[in-house]
Amino acid sequence: AVVSTQSTGFGSESKYVKLIAADGHSFIIERELVAPSQVIQNMLVVPGAADENEESSVIFSEIPSNILLRICHYFLYKKMYTDSTEEIPEFPIPVEELKGLLEASFFFDC
């Protein structure tokens, strides 16, 4: 997946990051939720961007919004059920999204 980073309002110390899909849809998600993906963490480190007023965002030019949304849902699911003592429900994956999610999961290392 081709990605680019841009700095434009939450700050490098912000609680949130913005993930932008190929079709322009943006997803604002807690930085803590994307922490398991070292790939995203590395992309959020913009060389020379020490201004904490700058936005932390990543553009995924080859990942459509339906797949990026499902990845965001997975990050939340993972946080909710990691170290859980209750029965963990199956993560729902629509058949039509299987291929895209598989490719994205390899890319995001999640």
Side-chain angles (χ1 to χ4, degrees), residues 8-73:
T8 60
F10 298 140
S12 61
E13 301 302 316
S14 172
K15 182 177 178 180
Y16 300 96
V17 297
K18 183 190 287 187
L19 306 180
I20 305 168
D23 50 12
H25 286 91
S26 299
F27 301 95
I28 297 171
I29 186 169
E30 288 184 36
R31 184 181 297 268
E32 174 184 338
L33 294 178
V34 299
S37 174
Q38 190 60 51
V39 172
I40 293 177
Q41 293 303 314
N42 291 342
M43 289 180 212
L44 289 170
V45 178
V46 180
D51 185 354
E52 65 185 45
N53 294 320
E54 292 293 311
E55 182 177 271
S56 295
S57 64
V58 181
I59 300 171
F60 298 97
S61 63
E62 294 184 10
I63 300 177
S65 59
N66 65 317
I67 299 298
L68 191 54
L69 176 61
R70 190 73 57 187
I71 292 292
C72 291
H73 286 168

